[in-house]
Amino acid sequence: MPACCRGVGPARAFETRGDPHLDRLLGLAADIADTPIAAISLIDGGREWLKGCGSFQGLAGFAQAPGACPHGLEADGAVIVHDALADPLRRSHSFVTGEAAVRFYAGVPLLGLGGDTLGWLAVADRLPRPAFSGRSRTRLRRLARIAAHLLEAGPTGAAGDHADDFLDATQFAVLISDDLGTITRANASCERLLGYEPGTMLGLNVRAIVPARFHGPHTAGMAAMVAGGTPRLAGKSVEVTAVRKDGSELPIELSLSSWRGGAGLAIGAVIRDISERRHRDARLLRLAHQDPRSGLPNRNRVVEELTAMQSSGGEAILLMLGVDGLRSANDSLGYAIGDALLEALSVRLTARLRSGALLARIQGDELAVLLPGRADPLEAQACAQSLVSACAEPIQVGDHPLHVGVAIGAALAPNHGTDAEEVLASADLALHQARRDGGRCFRLFEPVMRSAEAARRDLIDRLRIAAERQELELHYQPQVDLESGRICGAEALIRWRHPERGLLPPAEFLPAIESSVLALSVGWWTIDEACRQTAAWRAAGLPAGRVAVNLYAAQLRSGTLDAVVTEALERHGLGSADIEIEVTETIALRPDDSMLRPLRNLHESGVGIAFDDFGTGFASLSTLKRFPLTKLKIDRSFVRDILTDPFDAAIVKGLLDIGRGLGLSVIAEGIETAEQEAALLAMGCRLGQGFRYAKALEPDAFARRLAADACSLAEVEASETKQAS
């Protein structure tokens, strides 16, 4: 026996007894290579044994013949003989010329941990083969590694036999892989659950049972396990999705363990089919304690757990997570991708949580983490920072690398609330503060947050009363034709005539309206009041032009904007050309087709649609293409320094060119001086608005301006008529 084939003792254990795992492995090797012969040659000193499948009698003679050890090892240790008759070292061998007549042979060594060769795993065929693919060779090497592991660490006594018998008898599916993800053991329950024939899972990569959309997170998780030893999910149960052999999916509960044996790191999984659990009392479970889309516990579950802790005098940390990226994934890629992203995110976050933590979905893009134990602010901060960092890398869902970020607010029980609802409210206030501070950060609840929220709610309540008492009113800022200086329209701007504080500018109360349910009712009133006032000016014989009304996001989300505007115009006897709707960037960046449809309907009917503040934020030219616009408004921030800042001047010129190219009218806001007006005229701007002409005026004052404008026009026309005659 040549030196390369001198083996050690583990082979002897299989001299007289069979092993079903090796038998299944050989069947898999024959299937992979598509050969009728597969065998394992076991070597110990000067002796050799053979295990095989198919027509292997000839191969046994070859393995036991002197000089049978293959020559010409390739770089990866494999021996490939494409045609034995063309090989001068083998063509006269009885294995080739005899009854077996083997022409093709591929073998890889079975290497022990010490580097010794235990034997060979080989496949053979009676027909020559011009090639043996690299993929098949790689799979054969993987099977050889598994076979070597079975030889050195496999069943060698009653204890091993009993363990194998137990794994095959248990109803739970058990799967074991090495550090490369190669499956080294799958019990009968696992094979049945996932639809595989006995022994056919051996040698596959675990990725075979992972949905393709989760391959990215799975690969990253395996790498982290190998690098860190113990997987983060060790000892925890997580609900995920598995793939059967036929491609169908099923929900499973997965529990992971890891250990180091003679063959290195091993990863074991106990898998439970939870299909019946998901279906059993599903409706009641969803309504009571489970979020229907993610399968996570819901708000009710968090309240119950927190209430039980506080009732028993326990402490807890509650983290409220605002997830940035879930909503955009739903809107742009569909709910299937959004749900897959939520599932992958849940697994990633669970891996960062200590044992006993509860991850729940509160609503939409808000999650919660309940940490029972000591209400320690430092632990809350450490956990929050770990969760924020967990979202630093994108989550691969199918072909989509999706980026998410979290803002986290925390509250401590019982420090920040005497009951569960108060603790939840405190954590929610802290989350709002984290989001206001830019997101992707952590904020711990402070009592001043409650005071600020109380002040905001008081303001909203006071605004509700103000609307009922008609303390809200519209003022009108003239929009002028720059060439003639005449009024051609107006922008309606809301003001609050406070009974104690006098006339308040919008900055003091408008944000409270926009963030509350008042936005819809105040928005509808604004449209109706602007139409009413325009009709009143017309009835008085005043040349009132088109009036522009600012739009709230709630009005666009309602889906009834077109109907409300049309009814207001009809009610006051106006035409569609008499009103203009102004849309801000904040609204323009978020609409879907259902939100755009009312604007398209209004545009088709002749109602003007203006884009306010374009160029000050993130809106792009594609936004202009998507929106049914009639007018662009150049923000005052560009007009202010148009004479001294060449960049502002270039931006204004560019916006004017874009407007002309798209067939839109363009109006410049914030004009204060004659020099600014002249510069804009020179650039081709024809419409303007600003303090040079007037601030926002009360209706009566605006009426006087309209009358003066009409009188001036009449005098000019009379003078022109007199000169003509």
Side-chain angles (χ1 to χ4, degrees):
M1 183 70 61
C4 67
C5 290
R6 292 196 183 113
V8 291
R12 186 171 295 156
F14 290 88
E15 178 179 3
T16 59
R17 60 188 299 275
D19 180 75
H21 306 312
L22 288 177
D23 292 340
R24 289 196 291 265
L25 185 145
L26 287 170
L28 182 59
D31 288 341
I32 288 174
D34 192 21
T35 59
I37 303 170
I40 290 178
S41 173
L42 306 177
I43 307 158
D44 191 2
R47 303 185 61 193
E48 184 171 8
W49 299 268
L50 192 78
K51 295 182 63 63
C53 67
S55 302
F56 57 86
Q57 288 82 2
L59 186 59
F62 177 82
Q64 294 170 355
C69 176
H71 297 281
L73 292 178
E74 299 194 2
D76 60 359
V79 173
I80 310 295
V81 180
H82 298 289
D83 187 355
L85 285 179
D87 187 338
L89 297 176
R90 297 176 175 84
R91 62 188 177 195
S92 60
H93 197 283
S94 60
F95 186 45
V96 178
T97 60
E99 207 173 302
V102 167
R103 299 281 296 277
F104 167 75
Y105 173 91
V108 291
L110 306 177
L111 300 177
L113 289 177
D116 296 310
T117 301
L118 307 179
W120 287 80
L121 172 63
V123 292
D125 198 348
R126 293 183 176 86
L127 298 175
R129 294 194 179 188
F132 189 61
S133 72
R135 186 177 183 183
S136 297
R137 190 184 307 183
T138 297
R139 289 179 173 179
L140 203 60
R141 284 201 305 272
R142 287 182 177 177
L143 292 179
R145 188 165 56 248
I146 295 171
H149 170 69
L150 290 173
L151 290 171
E152 289 200 319
T156 57
D161 291 339
H162 290 323
D164 271 359
D165 291 343
F166 171 76
L167 286 179
D168 282 329
T170 182
Q171 61 178 331
F172 295 120
V174 178
L175 189 70
I176 301 173
S177 75
D178 62 14
D179 57 356
L180 297 179
T182 304
I183 297 174
T184 59
R185 184 73 167 90
N187 71 348
S189 293
C190 183
E191 293 168 339
R192 287 193 300 269
L193 176 65
L194 299 175
Y196 286 84
E197 295 298 321
T200 57
M201 292 188 72
L202 205 64
L204 297 180
N205 194 283
V206 177
R207 285 164 58 100
I209 70 169
V210 177
R213 60 185 180 276
F214 296 138
H215 280 179
H218 166 75
T219 301
M222 285 291 296
M225 287 186 222
V226 173
T230 302
R232 290 182 179 273
L233 292 175
K236 304 174 184 177
S237 294
V238 61
E239 293 186 8
V240 294
T241 304
V243 178
R244 295 187 181 93
K245 183 181 180 181
D246 62 8
S248 61
E249 296 186 354
L250 77 159
I252 62 170
E253 183 181 77
L254 185 70
S255 300
L256 289 179
S257 301
S258 67
W259 62 93
R260 289 196 175 274
L265 180 68
I267 302 166
V270 177
I271 302 171
R272 299 175 182 85
D273 182 0
I274 58 172
S275 300
E276 290 187 12
R277 183 200 303 177
R278 286 278 180 94
H279 289 97
R280 186 179 61 245
D281 300 327
R283 178 175 176 79
L284 180 60
L285 185 61
R286 285 196 300 269
L287 292 176
H289 294 103
Q290 190 180 51
D291 175 65
R293 284 184 58 193
S294 65
L296 292 172
N298 63 9
R299 189 181 191 279
N300 292 339
R301 172 76 179 280
V302 174
V303 170
E304 286 191 5
E305 295 283 344
L306 194 51
T307 299
M309 290 177 196
Q310 291 186 285
S311 298
S312 61
E315 297 181 0
I317 297 169
L318 179 65
L319 303 179
M320 196 74 73
L321 285 64
V323 183
D324 176 30
L326 279 179
R327 186 173 300 173
S328 61
N330 285 328
D331 293 343
S332 60
L333 301 173
Y335 283 103
I337 295 296
D339 289 348
L341 172 61
L342 182 58
E343 182 177 334
L345 176 63
S346 300
V347 173
R348 184 178 288 191
L349 294 178
T350 300
R352 296 297 185 107
L353 298 175
R354 62 172 166 80
S355 178
L358 175 69
L359 176 66
R361 188 184 188 200
I362 302 301
Q363 62 177 0
D365 57 359
E366 289 189 6
L367 305 176
V369 173
L370 183 61
L371 300 168
R374 200 159 58 93
D376 183 357
L378 294 180
E379 182 181 352
Q381 182 177 14
C383 181
Q385 289 174 343
S386 177
L387 296 179
V388 170
S389 65
C391 299
E393 296 296 325
I395 297 176
Q396 191 75 28
V397 179
D399 296 330
H400 308 284
L402 302 177
H403 295 265
V404 297
V406 292
I408 301 180
L412 309 178
N415 310 49
H416 298 150
T418 57
D419 57 32
E421 291 293 347
E422 188 176 359
V423 175
L424 273 165
S426 298
D428 196 47
L429 288 173
L431 171 59
H432 288 321
Q433 185 61 51
R435 279 178 154 165
R436 282 192 293 268
D437 291 345
R440 299 178 188 249
C441 62
F442 163 75
R443 294 293 179 265
L444 182 64
F445 171 78
E446 298 176 6
V448 69
M449 295 178 184
R450 187 170 289 130
S451 301
E453 179 64 14
R456 191 183 75 87
R457 292 185 181 278
D458 287 343
L459 178 58
I460 292 173
D461 291 340
R462 184 63 187 85
L463 280 166
R464 188 178 291 109
I465 296 172
E468 294 172 356
R469 294 178 178 176
Q470 299 182 349
E471 295 173 6
L472 300 179
E473 55 189 55
L474 293 182
H475 289 194
Y476 300 85
Q477 185 171 36
Q479 296 176 336
V480 303
D481 183 302
L482 296 184
E483 291 183 328
S484 65
R486 297 187 185 111
I487 296 174
C488 59
E491 180 180 1
L493 299 168
I494 194 168
R495 298 291 186 266
W496 181 8
R497 196 170 293 279
H498 197 282
E500 289 87 27
R501 301 173 58 194
L503 193 65
L504 300 181
E508 294 197 25
F509 63 89
L510 196 56
I513 291 178
E514 292 173 335
S515 64
S516 71
V517 294
L518 286 176
L520 201 56
S521 59
V522 172
W524 296 149
W525 170 82
T526 301
I527 291 173
D528 187 75
E529 175 61 16
C531 290
R532 185 202 66 78
Q533 185 60 71
T534 302
W537 286 328
R538 297 274 180 85
L542 297 173
R546 172 180 278 179
V547 176
V549 179
N550 290 284
L551 194 67
Y552 298 116
Q555 293 171 275
L556 199 55
R557 288 196 299 266
S558 71
T560 60
L561 176 66
D562 50 345
V564 172
V565 172
T566 301
E567 290 173 6
L569 291 171
E570 292 176 352
R571 183 164 49 252
H572 298 292
L574 298 177
S576 56
D578 294 327
I579 194 168
E580 183 174 79
I581 301 297
E582 291 197 3
V583 180
T584 63
E585 256 194 10
T586 304
I587 298 173
L589 289 174
R590 293 187 297 179
D592 53 25
D593 286 341
S594 64
M595 295 170 68
L596 284 173
R597 193 175 303 113
L599 288 176
R600 293 193 182 105
N601 293 339
L602 290 174
H603 181 268
E604 291 172 1
S605 71
V607 172
I609 310 291
F611 200 159
D612 197 11
D613 302 334
F614 180 74
T616 60
F618 300 100
S620 63
L621 294 179
S622 63
T623 309
L624 298 182
K625 181 180 179 181
R626 186 171 73 249
F627 257 75
L629 298 174
T630 57
K631 181 183 289 184
L632 278 182
K633 301 194 75 176
I634 300 176
D635 188 70
R636 66 185 70 249
S637 63
F638 300 126
V639 174
R640 181 181 58 245
D641 299 322
I642 192 174
L643 299 174
T644 58
D645 190 330
F647 292 102
D648 283 347
I651 290 172
V652 171
K653 183 66 167 60
L655 291 175
L656 288 167
D657 291 341
I658 290 172
R660 280 191 291 269
L662 297 177
L664 306 176
S665 62
V666 182
I667 183 170
E669 295 184 293
I671 303 174
E672 298 183 1
T673 67
E675 291 78 12
Q676 291 171 341
E677 179 186 76
L680 288 165
L681 272 170
M683 292 180 182
C685 183
R686 294 294 175 264
L687 301 176
Q689 178 180 342
F691 286 174
R692 170 164 171 74
Y693 314 106
K695 63 178 183 179
L697 302 171
E698 296 181 33
D700 290 344
F702 189 80
R704 289 192 292 272
R705 284 292 304 271
L706 286 175
D709 207 47
C711 181
S712 174
L713 178 61
E715 290 175 355
V716 170
E717 290 176 347
S719 175
E720 291 176 349
T721 301
K722 184 176 181 180
Q723 290 177 2
S725 62

